[in-house]
């Protein structure tokens, strides 16, 4: 079946404008990470980098299925920078985090994408894997109490799904019929551990069965299919249909962090997944369907480059935090968080 | 732990009942807790209760009895047995502007969700993630023949975790006032309630709204010769010892810290400056208990006032044993307290 | 189909002797609990009582499927006193626990069935629900390392199955292909919480799917069926087939503990389950199949009575612990556990 | 946390590298840990290692690098990301007579399994359930720009839990000797290893088997005027301060506690009896840190010897911030230590 702009619009409910928006977010994610890597090499990034190369598709697709205007909130993991960008986090905000600047959203206290802004609809994770599932259950519980029509979306990895914190969340959220979408990213590895050593389950979405949630598995490198599955889950949640555990199958194309050369990953596997690159596939799809021209893509890339040039400049110009501030803002009442930075 | 058996065993506990106000008082400690929750839920729609069996059943100890009838299952929420999810959901709701009270059926099970409280709740504000005003409460304390897993005093586990607050009231008044303060607080508060006291202490409470500010100690008994610094159910043991020492002409000041994090360093130091002798008394095992911090603060900041070493009386460094004979030996006793006092006074 | 002694022998591999042994353990469990209740009323029991009335069948049946001579180990929960008795715990040992005697296996330090003896093949639980699943995974892991051909069996309730500790266990044990049988007792309630408020899963055994274990559901009040299912699971484990999550459906006929009058349980439900009493059903089965006569049953009951009379006497004569001992035996080296009691 | 970035940031850390033995030494702290595991696995078939990525990958920090080649996947066991299961399985195996070493990828994640350690492991022997000789180890400590979740010093969380042991070595020798002692110990031991020291301290180690007994402190530097009581990576800060104070003619004794539970009260008191002044230094936040207990013991048992208050120098009462400027301010510094010392000396 050949796609056309009209068939995509009909099948996925995505206008040309939104399709180009997706392309923009895909490119923005990929390019921003590349910038971070080069800043890292210049010793301008504090701490590690956790790449989402080859997984940008699912982050962007899933977050695109949310309706932030309705108060939806996404809680990404470290490899979901794309979700943050879709929710409206600005590249400079992410760069300031990586560079531990005093005017970063966490004011230099926290790493990479550990940032939150409910007004825009995002909350970064804490490091202990699994914890954000219960937390996002609470976010959606509160949303319901407050009469909001919001949906929560929370990401977890194939590895993180082995934690007890993760496990309590879906059961709890499901029995309370909360409007929560849990995106389980099966990207083949958790650090050096392949999924087959993480669990004997053949389909991670089957965990939904054991708690009475809806489970679905989708090719996470197929942006449109992932969007469609995420949209179904979001609609189900908003419609009172409860929790969906959406397994997106993808692949971590880089090591766990920058220093890890992923020597433990068979070369052929990397080659194989390179062919399935979500950005390439998506671009082919929108080109072939006539949604976009090569010029459109070039102009998106140019504007991404321009945006990131400015963002990097702005981030580099940002000041380091004031040492004495380390003592403040632990508890309410000292005014720290009310002061501008 | 059946309530009856707890009651039955009370005679063997080294904490004489006669010191506990009974006559005239009409609000038990446990009812003070329920009243605090109820009143805060009445005035603040953001407040809700979440935990195992807290709804129609009213909680394992009946602390929330009746609340579901008044506020419905939307605000008195029964959950699966999932302490991580209960506290995690409370955190998420708090970030959304709600004021959740999460009940642990027994406070011991707070250890299950240690990570959520230490990693998520405690750090949230500091990390720029926003204030996380949850209350986590549950029955703590021993003397009820609960054995190793139903007698816990976990305050020290959380005491080196900046971002949390911890309170441990010993009276019905403080239970109500501190719980209200905790619910209104902008930061996460662990509210430890002593199950031995639930239906053993009662007093008349003011009809009007009141709070007990977090971080303020209370001098329960004025004295000149020695200060006993304590909190929770141990305040009664301290008063009992003070009473007995008074017969020998010794004037003991009893300081109820009430709040543990933050704690009222000022009042503590003032008292020691006056009496020049201090015993720190607590129900948890000795080593690494929060009383060590009290002692360390005095040793640093009231050194000049000290006429004698700072003593501590606490439980043995063991898990809580089950048999009455063992538990009584394990716990602080009036005898140990008086011996410590006499040693200091001889100094 | 009418059962006969021969058909039972053929179908279940249970000889008449073993069938009578089961009957003995069923009666011993039920009667021992009744003794404990009456001691409780005399204030001779410290702490609470957690009855297994109406659930004795599954405890006894599952433990009977183990082979303690091969080193199998069962980790019961509070309502699995029957498992302990099958494993060889003596009634007096359990009574001494309840009465907090100085010569109880825990020397007065621990409650009810929180006792352990690996030589006989049992280890009682800690109170935090779920914890014993990982622990028993480790027991079987060690067994395999030591070249033993042992199987582990661990019990969890419908409520306890909502804990994160529980959840980590089956995945961990399954991916390591450990010889572990997890018996999930769905007895309708967790304290006051009915299973429908615990989870939306319709079949708790489905949790097996999500981790790649084998799942099975059985009528826990049908002793023979439960035995057969447990035996299959034990054989699978011993044969290298890994973890089974065996859901036994039963009903808690009493309140959570002695003080709980279970007012929250619909009367009809209790009536309904009374009809399904596992001991009654089992006795009917062995009577009707000709395995046993009414005289056999009477004589078993008489010997149970006799045994318990003596056990109660012995327990009552046992001394309370020595107060000063409370300080000892926390760490190795003070000799406490080497001294006789 | 990439190792490179940790290294890169080392210059900003207030812990001068020149004090750290380098020349001649050939065994890094991290290699000492691996050697201890390897040697114990060689002589004792009961010993095995279990944790996330510990096998072919050799662990996130490469601490177990090569062990799987020597001992195979049956004894160097990769697990799912399940800290409760890892430590729980270690407990079960220990009860069966094995000697498991459970690795936390970062020590912070030990909070996830707080219940297993406090409820199961710590109480096992006392409850009659048998000794539970597990070792739980993992990279602790800050100064590596790890931020709130990769810089933890969790010793105080476990310090009020009788039944556990806790050690925190500061040198390669002690790392090896204490880990061997921990593996051979009959009780559960938390072994905290300082990730900042992994590849920064090295020394020549004896070729023969040796252990460092748990519970024995070590006087690292003799002095007459003041004792700095510390452990972990802070020993270097203490020595640096001692060095500087020596220029002013002040003679500082540096006591490395090494073991935290049990700790060497005797050596500590002896030192204070000699110097009459004590500073307790630790890397965790001040309030509720284990140093409070050290201070309390001195205040009770060495009171007569004290010529001045007992001071503590520790991290600020905040989570660990990420930015170098913030983290450095958060942590104990030589300046703070020297200021505290001077104050005491003026006393
Ligand atoms: C509870 C917990 N244990 C261990 C870690 C250390 N850790 C960080 S990321 C990671 C691997 C995560 O794998 P996965 O969940 O599959 O996510 P991916 O990296 O593939 O995106 C580990 C083990 C952690 N953060 N939290
Ligand atoms: C982690 C934890 N949370 C709470 C409790 C308190 N508690 C003890 S038994 C119980 C109910 C257990 O229900 P279920 O698992 O279904 O077992 P049943 O009582 O039905 O046999 C609860 C909530 C506990 N023991 N552990
Ligand atoms: Mg992964
Ligand atoms: Mg149940």
């Amino acid at each position: 079946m050949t796609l056309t702009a009209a068939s995509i619009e009909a099948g996925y409910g995505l206008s040309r404008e939104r399709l180009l928006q997706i392309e923009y977010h895909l490119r923005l994610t990929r390019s921003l990470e590349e910038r971070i890597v080069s800043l890292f090499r210049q010793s301008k990034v504090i701490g590690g980098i956790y790449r989402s190369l080859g997984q940008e598709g699912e982050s962007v697709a899933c977050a695109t299925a949310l309706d932030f205007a309705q108060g939806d909130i996404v809680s990404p993991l470290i490899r979901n920078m794309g979700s943050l960008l879709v929710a409206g986090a600005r590249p400079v905000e992410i760069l300031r985090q990586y560079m531990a600047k005093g005017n970063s959203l966490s004011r230099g206290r926290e790493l990479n994408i550990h940032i939150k802004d409910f007004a825009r609809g995002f909350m970064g994770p804490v490091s202990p894997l699994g914890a954000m599932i219960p937390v996002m259950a609470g976010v959606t519980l509160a949303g319901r109490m407050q009469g909001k029509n919001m949906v929560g979306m929370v990401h977890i990895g194939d590895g993180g799904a082995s934690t007890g914190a993760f496990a309590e969340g879906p059961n709890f959220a499901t029995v309370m019929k909360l409007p929560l979408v849990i995106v389980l990213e099966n990207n083949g590895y958790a650090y050096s551990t392949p999924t087959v050593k993480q669990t004997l389950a053949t389909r991670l979405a089957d965990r939904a069965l054991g708690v009475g949630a809806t489970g679905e598995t989708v090719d996470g490198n197929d942006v449109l299919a992932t969007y469609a599955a995420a949209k179904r889950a979001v609609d189900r949640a908003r419609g009172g249909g409860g929790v969906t555990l959406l397994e997106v199958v993808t692949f971590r194309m880089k090591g766990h962090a920058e220093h890890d050369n992923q020597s433990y990953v068979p070369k052929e596997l990397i080659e194989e997944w390179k062919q399935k690159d979500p950005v390439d596939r998506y671009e082919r799809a929108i080109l072939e369907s006539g949604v976009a021209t090569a010029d459109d893509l070039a102009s998106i890339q140019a504007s991404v480059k321009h945006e990131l040039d400015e963002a990097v400049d702005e981030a580099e110009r940002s000041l380091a935090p004031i040492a004495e501030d380390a003592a403040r803002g632990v508890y309410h009442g000292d005014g720290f968080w009310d002061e501008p930075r | 732990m059946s309530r009856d058996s707890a009651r039955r065993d009370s005679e063997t506990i080294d904490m004489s009942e006669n010191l506990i106000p009974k006559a005239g008082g009409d609000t038990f400690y446990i009812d003070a807790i329920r009243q605090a929750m109820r009143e805060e839920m009445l005035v603040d729609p953001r407040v809700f209760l979440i935990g195992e069996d807290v709804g129609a059943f009213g909680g394992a100890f009946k602390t929330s009895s009746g609340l579901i009838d008044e506020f419905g299952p939307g605000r008195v929420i029964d959950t699966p047995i999932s302490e991580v999810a209960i506290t995690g959901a409370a955190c998420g709701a708090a970030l959304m502007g709600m004021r959740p009270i999460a009940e642990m059926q027994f406070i011991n099970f707070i250890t299950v969700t240690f990570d959520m409280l230490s990693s998520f709740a405690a750090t949230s504000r500091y990390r720029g993630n926003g204030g996380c005003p949850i209350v986590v409460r549950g029955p703590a304390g021993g003397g009820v023949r609960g054995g190793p897993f139903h007698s816990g005093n976990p305050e020290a586990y959380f005491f080196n975790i900046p971002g949390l607050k911890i309170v441990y009231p010993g009276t019905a008044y403080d239970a109500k006032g501190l719980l209200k303060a905790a619910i209104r607080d902008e930061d996460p508060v662990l509210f430890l309630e002593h199950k031995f006291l639930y239906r053993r202490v009662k007093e008349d409470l003011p009809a009007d709204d009141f709070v007990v500010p977090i971080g303020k100690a209370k001098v329960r008994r004025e004295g000149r010769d020695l200060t006993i610094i304590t909190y929770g159910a141990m305040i009664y043991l301290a008063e009992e010892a003070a009473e007995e020492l008074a017969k020998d002409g010794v004037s003991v000041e009893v300081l109820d810290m009430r709040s543990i994090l933050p704690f009222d360093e000022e009042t503590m130091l003032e008292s020691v400056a006056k009496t020049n002798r201090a015993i720190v008394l607590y129900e948890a095992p000795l080593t690494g208990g929060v009383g060590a911090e009290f002692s360390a603060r005095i040793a640093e900041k009231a050194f000049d006032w000290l006429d004698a070493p700072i003593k501590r009386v606490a439980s043995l460094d063991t898990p809580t044993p089950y048999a009455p004979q063992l538990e009584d030996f394990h716990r602080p006793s009036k005898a140990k307290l008086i011996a410590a006092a006499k040693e200091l006074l001889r100094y």
Side-chain angles (χ1 to χ4, degrees), chain A, chain B:
Chain A
M1 188 195 72
T2 41
L3 286 174
T4 63
S7 77
I8 295 177
E9 170 95 53
Y12 297 95
L14 287 168
S15 64
R16 176 169 183 275
E17 196 191 332
R18 296 195 66 207
L19 291 165
L20 294 182
Q21 186 83 359
I22 289 174
E23 166 65 8
Y24 160 74
H25 282 130
L26 290 171
R27 280 290 161 195
L28 187 64
T29 307
R30 183 160 291 185
S31 303
L32 176 53
E33 282 194 6
E34 285 161 3
R35 298 293 179 113
I36 293 168
V37 171
S38 86
L39 288 164
F40 179 81
R41 301 221 168 103
Q42 301 166 55
S43 294
K44 287 177 180 165
V45 159
I46 312 292
I49 307 185
Y50 304 81
R51 298 291 302 279
S52 71
L53 186 70
Q55 304 181 217
E56 301 96 334
E58 43 106 352
S59 299
V60 169
C62 290
T64 300
L66 291 171
D67 183 350
F68 295 101
Q70 288 223 43
D72 290 357
I73 293 178
V74 62
S75 182
L77 273 183
I78 195 134
R79 278 182 236 290
N80 303 111
M81 188 189 281
S83 324
L84 274 189
L85 293 171
V86 173
R90 293 162 54 215
V92 66
E93 293 175 312
I94 294 171
L95 289 165
R96 283 182 184 137
Q97 283 288 121
Y98 270 97
M99 298 166 84
K101 296 298 188 178
N103 61 350
S104 73
L105 286 182
S106 76
R107 300 192 175 181
R109 287 146 183 239
E110 256 282 27
L111 301 81
N112 47 62
I113 64 154
H114 291 208
I115 52 174
K116 171 190 164 237
D117 183 357
F118 272 3
R120 284 181 279 178
F122 59 82
M123 170 164 55
V126 287
S127 294
L129 295 166
M132 298 311 291
I133 319 285
V135 172
M136 284 301 293
V139 164
T140 53
L141 175 66
R144 184 167 67 197
M145 287 175 155
Q146 293 164 347
K148 297 191 172 119
N149 199 18
M150 67 163 289
V151 170
M153 177 179 283
V154 58
H155 292 256
I156 187 78
D158 48 288
S162 296
T163 62
F166 167 77
E168 288 194 7
N171 184 59
F172 182 92
T174 302
V175 80
M176 298 208 176
K177 302 195 177 63
L178 296 173
L180 186 63
V181 179
I182 303 170
V183 182
L184 203 167
E185 299 162 358
N186 186 348
N187 67 353
Y189 282 85
Y191 213 138
S192 76
T193 306
T195 308
V196 292
K197 288 181 82 175
Q198 192 73 234
T199 182
L200 283 197
T202 42
R203 215 179 74 113
L204 295 179
D206 284 345
R207 298 225 173 133
L209 254 173
V211 297
T214 305
E216 194 174 336
T217 300
V218 68
D219 175 354
N221 284 16
D222 180 336
V223 171
L224 288 172
T226 303
Y227 169 80
K231 188 69 171 57
R232 275 194 298 277
V234 168
D235 289 347
R236 181 178 302 121
R238 207 180 314 275
V243 174
T244 302
L245 184 62
L246 176 62
E247 178 187 8
V248 295
V249 180
T250 180
F251 199 74
R252 195 191 73 197
M253 294 298 288
K254 288 285 187 178
H256 176 65
E258 208 52 24
H259 64 274
D260 168 17
N261 65 6
Q262 61 179 155
S263 54
Y264 47 83
V265 181
K267 292 283 160 300
E268 316 79 71
L269 213 51
I270 299 175
E271 273 316 308
E272 181 191 328
W273 281 91
K274 209 174 241 166
Q275 307 312 315
K276 305 189 200 162
D277 182 81
V279 181
D280 290 352
R281 279 168 75 184
Y282 183 72
E283 291 182 348
R284 270 203 307 277
I286 56 174
L287 284 174
E288 285 167 12
S289 61
V291 167
T293 63
D295 276 357
D296 291 334
L297 299 192
S299 104
I300 286 175
Q301 293 197 25
S303 85
V304 162
K305 179 178 181 314
H306 178 72
E307 185 178 353
L308 292 180
D309 285 345
E310 291 203 332
V312 169
D313 267 10
E314 200 179 337
E316 295 217 47
R317 278 196 313 271
S318 300
L319 301 179
I322 301 160
E324 290 71 19
D325 275 351
R328 305 177 60 206
V330 181
Y331 294 99
H332 172 79
D334 68 4
F336 176 75
W337 292 103
D338 302 325
E339 296 167 6
R341 279 293 176 283
Chain B
M1 173 60 40
S2 92
R3 204 189 313 152
D4 293 341
S5 77
R7 230 176 234 159
R8 210 169 60 213
D9 294 325
S10 67
E11 298 94 71
T12 57
I13 310 267
D14 197 336
M15 188 194 294
S16 69
E17 307 252 333
N18 56 4
L19 267 176
I20 296 177
K22 272 212 182 97
D26 63 356
T27 306
F28 276 118
Y29 183 98
I30 192 168
D31 299 319
I33 292 167
R34 179 173 38 255
Q35 283 180 14
M37 292 196 287
R38 176 173 178 271
E39 291 171 20
E40 292 304 298
M41 288 177 78
L42 280 173
V43 299
D44 187 347
R46 300 172 307 169
V47 180
F48 69 94
L49 176 65
I50 186 164
E52 295 151 17
D53 307 295
V54 298
F57 193 63
F61 287 85
K62 302 288 180 198
T63 317
S64 54
S65 174
L67 294 185
I68 197 170
D69 305 321
E70 203 165 348
F71 301 104
R75 288 179 71 195
V76 183
I77 305 175
D78 279 328
T79 69
I81 304 179
S82 302
E83 282 77 10
V84 180
I86 293 166
T87 51
C91 289
L95 293 175
M96 288 284 285
M98 303 300 288
R99 293 292 168 131
I101 306 167
E103 176 173 303
M104 303 284 100
Q105 196 158 86
F106 282 85
I107 203 67
N108 285 65
F109 306 125
I110 200 171
T111 54
V112 170
T113 187
F114 191 90
D115 179 65
M116 186 61 74
L117 297 172
S118 61
S119 296
F120 193 92
T123 67
S124 183
R125 182 185 302 281
Y126 190 76
R127 301 187 306 108
N129 199 62
C132 188
I134 62 169
V135 175
V136 182
R137 45 159 288 273
V144 298
R145 312 327 182 190
F149 304 116
H150 295 80
S151 311
N153 290 292
E155 63 272 21
Y157 311 165
F158 295 96
F159 195 39
N160 197 224
I161 302 175
L164 297 180
K165 296 185 175 184
I166 309 172
V167 301
Y168 202 160
T171 69
Y173 182 90
D174 288 345
K176 184 166 180 180
L178 278 171
L179 185 48
K180 287 189 159 219
I183 294 168
R184 296 179 197 178
D185 202 275
E186 300 290 337
D187 288 300
V189 183
L190 309 185
F191 183 91
L192 307 181
E193 40 198 68
H194 203 294
K195 66 179 88 69
F196 181 87
L197 303 179
Y198 271 163
R199 290 185 171 79
R200 284 195 180 82
V201 305
K202 57 175 174 176
E203 67 193 294
D204 280 325
L205 297 185
D208 291 348
D209 178 52
F210 67 96
V211 298
V212 171
I214 295 176
K216 292 300 289 173
K218 185 181 155 105
V219 177
R220 281 187 65 86
R221 180 188 176 105
E222 304 243 11
R224 290 176 318 271
D225 301 328
L226 168 77
T227 304
I228 300 179
I229 298 156
T230 190
Y231 57 89
M234 290 295 104
I235 61 175
Y236 301 107
L237 195 66
E239 288 185 340
E240 207 177 332
E243 203 65 38
E244 191 151 325
L245 287 161
K247 294 179 195 150
D248 297 340
V250 179
S251 164
V252 174
E253 179 141 319
V254 175
L255 183 61
D256 180 0
M257 296 302 286
R258 305 193 294 197
S259 290
I260 288 171
L261 189 62
F263 64 92
D264 190 347
E265 185 182 287
E266 199 181 319
T267 303
M268 182 176 81
L269 297 179
E270 267 169 23
S271 177
V272 176
K274 178 173 72 169
T275 64
N276 312 120
R277 285 176 171 79
I279 294 177
V280 183
L281 166 69
Y282 49 100
E283 193 182 321
L286 179 80
T287 300
V290 303
E293 180 70 33
F294 300 161
S295 179
R297 292 285 172 109
I298 297 168
E300 173 162 2
K301 301 194 174 176
F303 181 74
D304 286 344
W305 305 106
L306 284 176
D307 285 347
I310 307 163
K311 286 235 161 236
R312 283 181 297 157
V313 176
S315 284
L316 298 182
D317 282 334
T318 78
T320 308
Y322 181 42
Q325 300 81 0
L326 300 176
E327 193 186 14
D328 291 343
F329 189 79
H330 164 83
R331 293 167 60 75
S333 67
K334 192 166 67 173
K336 291 180 209 171
L337 195 48
I338 289 176
K342 292 203 165 148
E343 207 182 309
L344 288 194
L345 292 162
R346 272 196 306 272
Y347 212 85

